[in-house]
Amino acid sequence: MTRIVQRYHVLAQVVLVWVAVLLLNHLSSSWFARVDLTNDQRHTLSDAAIATVSDLERPLIAQVYFTQGLRAPYHGHRDALLELLASIRAWSGGQMEIHVVDPSGDKVLAEEARRAGVEPVTYVVADWDGRETRLAYMGVSFVYGDQQQAVSSLPSLAGMEYEVVRALHSVTTAGADRKTLGVATGFGMPDLFSFGRETPVAGLIDE
């Protein structure tokens, strides 16, 4: 094999490698997959979450208002929310944006959070020298076109995805496409208002 032929072979291999890299890059930008190896599948999004953002027609803004450095039992809530939103964004086709601020001690951001529908909640911090009540932000507001929907606070990790997806569905669904649900009461039927705020039933009342 002459040197000229060897050079052509090397050049052809380089071209093939670059074509393969470009092809993989194109496929990765239009296809997303995630493997959840945890026992409780806590990083696996529900079908409802994926369906809610898979056909967005315009940018969806997730404005997170969350106090940093919270102690137990809320020390992991901020990271859990941001991870959940990042997972949802991965299915949005690049249409979802996430912005994060801490309004604590900032009057301008606190007023912005209030207008967005996110209010601070009280939580108790226990130290060796006593207990102290503080205010903390643990909410997110979604904006889609001229529609806005907020989750004022997310004190429960177990119900976090439900509350977020419910707000996303509300803000991305046109009024004409929303369903009306009627609930009969009396005659031995349970009173919906007797259920706790941490249950999915409470979401029906809010709607």
Side-chain angles (χ1 to χ4, degrees):
M1 182 181 297
T2 64
R3 291 184 177 179
I4 296 178
V5 174
Q6 289 179 340
R7 290 177 180 176
Y8 276 119
H9 280 200
V10 172
L11 180 60
Q13 290 176 354
V14 171
V15 171
L16 288 175
V17 170
W18 274 106
V19 170
V21 170
L22 293 174
L23 180 61
L24 287 174
N25 184 61
H26 173 73
L27 291 175
S28 64
S29 65
S30 58
W31 180 80
F32 172 78
R34 181 176 182 174
V35 178
D36 188 352
L37 301 179
T38 57
N39 292 330
D40 58 0
Q41 298 291 287
R42 61 181 178 273
H43 299 312
T44 300
L45 286 177
S46 64
D47 292 339
I50 296 173
T52 301
V53 298
S54 59
D55 295 316
L56 296 176
E57 299 177 352
R58 61 181 69 90
L60 169 66
I61 309 298
Q63 183 67 57
V64 178
Y65 299 95
F66 222 103
T67 300
Q68 298 190 59
L70 293 179
R71 300 186 186 181
Y74 306 123
H75 55 289
H77 284 50
R78 182 178 183 274
D79 289 343
L81 174 60
L82 295 182
E83 182 175 334
L84 171 62
L85 293 176
S87 297
I88 295 174
R89 178 178 58 187
W91 291 95
S92 71
Q95 290 281 49
M96 183 174 177
E97 301 176 17
I98 303 173
H99 306 290
V100 187
V101 296
D102 181 357
S104 304
D106 189 315
K107 293 183 178 180
V108 175
L109 290 178
E111 177 60 23
E112 177 186 309
R114 188 193 65 78
R115 291 197 305 267
V118 177
E119 298 285 352
V121 297
T122 58
Y123 83 111
V124 178
V125 178
D127 288 321
W128 63 272
D129 59 346
R131 298 163 66 88
E132 179 184 358
T133 301
R134 299 180 183 177
L135 291 178
Y137 290 86
M138 295 187 287
V140 57
S141 176
F142 297 103
V143 179
Y144 186 65
D146 60 354
Q147 301 296 316
Q148 187 271 335
Q149 181 67 41
V151 182
S152 184
S153 63
L154 291 162
S156 170
L157 286 176
M160 182 175 289
E161 182 175 341
Y162 168 79
E163 293 293 341
V164 167
V165 173
R166 184 170 69 91
L168 282 172
H169 185 268
S170 177
V171 78
T172 58
T173 303
D177 296 330
R178 296 179 182 177
K179 308 300 181 182
T180 301
L181 175 65
V183 180
T185 58
F187 302 101
M189 300 294 290
D191 182 6
L192 294 184
F193 291 94
S194 65
F195 290 86
R197 297 298 303 169
E198 296 297 324
T199 65
V201 176
L204 295 176
I205 300 173
D206 293 338
E207 291 291 340

